[in-house]
Amino acid sequence: MQNELNGVLKKASGWFHGLSHRDQLAVKALAAAVAVFLLYAMVWQPAADFRNQSKKQAESAYDDLKWMRENEGLARQLGGGSGGNKITLTEGQSLLSVVSASARTQNIELQRFEPKGDDKMNIWLDKVEFNRMMLWLENLNKTTGVSVEQISVDKTNEPGIVTARLSLTL
């Protein structure tokens, strides 16, 4: 392999030195242009793209923070849970009915639900405010004892809005 490389270099060197002075300058200028292009394409452009992407992500995070601060009062209000919003699990009530009623009081729409016996269920939420969902789950746990066994949350293109799949248990 080393011998092949030496042979190729010797041929290229012989070819280059066999050129006229003017042609050698042209080859050097072309090599410099190719080197500058490669430096731009392989270093500068990816770095600039990364910088722009990071800047957009930072702006999006700042917008989310701003939205959270603007809605802090609503979150505290929903989290406080007035006496009229309390739901208690009484004899004969199913987990599904309690979860559905609680979700309605918090303006959360259950996209799909799947009971798993008397004390477990899976629910799917689509395009719900993350903070509202978390406050609802906390309130649901405090007022009825229903807890989250498993949760999967995916962000959407809208800031603060998510889709979620939850496994709830009594």
Side-chain angles (χ1 to χ4, degrees), residues 14-168:
W15 170 81
F16 180 76
H17 290 297
L19 295 175
S20 68
H21 180 68
R22 184 174 170 190
D23 289 344
Q24 286 180 359
L25 288 177
V27 170
K28 287 179 184 179
L30 181 62
V34 168
V36 168
F37 172 76
L38 289 176
L39 181 66
Y40 174 78
M42 297 178 85
V43 177
W44 183 264
Q45 188 62 41
D49 290 346
F50 178 77
R51 179 185 170 274
N52 291 338
Q53 183 182 10
S54 296
K55 187 176 179 182
K56 286 180 185 176
Q57 287 176 341
E59 289 171 355
S60 176
Y62 178 75
D63 290 343
D64 289 347
L65 176 63
K66 183 179 172 186
W67 179 86
M68 284 187 243
R69 287 183 177 160
E70 289 172 357
N71 291 293
E72 180 180 9
L74 175 63
R76 291 192 187 281
Q77 178 185 359
L78 292 173
S82 66
N85 284 346
K86 285 199 173 184
I87 300 167
T88 55
L89 193 58
T90 60
E91 191 68 34
Q93 276 188 309
S94 70
L95 177 61
L96 175 60
S97 65
V98 171
V99 170
S100 297
S102 174
R104 275 192 304 275
T105 64
Q106 300 294 329
N107 294 323
I108 293 177
E109 183 181 342
L110 301 180
Q111 197 65 29
R112 183 175 154 208
F113 51 88
E114 183 179 272
K116 298 280 188 177
D118 292 337
D119 61 347
K120 290 185 180 183
M121 71 182 296
N122 294 333
I123 61 171
W124 287 260
L125 305 174
D126 188 32
K127 293 186 179 179
V128 64
E129 294 176 26
F130 177 77
N131 290 342
R132 182 181 297 266
M133 178 185 69
M134 295 307 291
L135 290 170
W136 168 62
L137 292 172
E138 180 183 20
N139 189 36
L140 185 64
N141 181 260
K142 284 181 182 177
T143 59
T144 64
V146 173
S147 61
V148 177
E149 189 173 79
Q150 189 175 20
I151 185 169
S152 173
V153 179
D154 295 313
K155 69 179 184 175
T156 64
N157 292 334
E158 301 174 59
I161 305 297
V162 298
T163 59
R165 180 182 184 276
L166 302 101
S167 294
L168 303 177

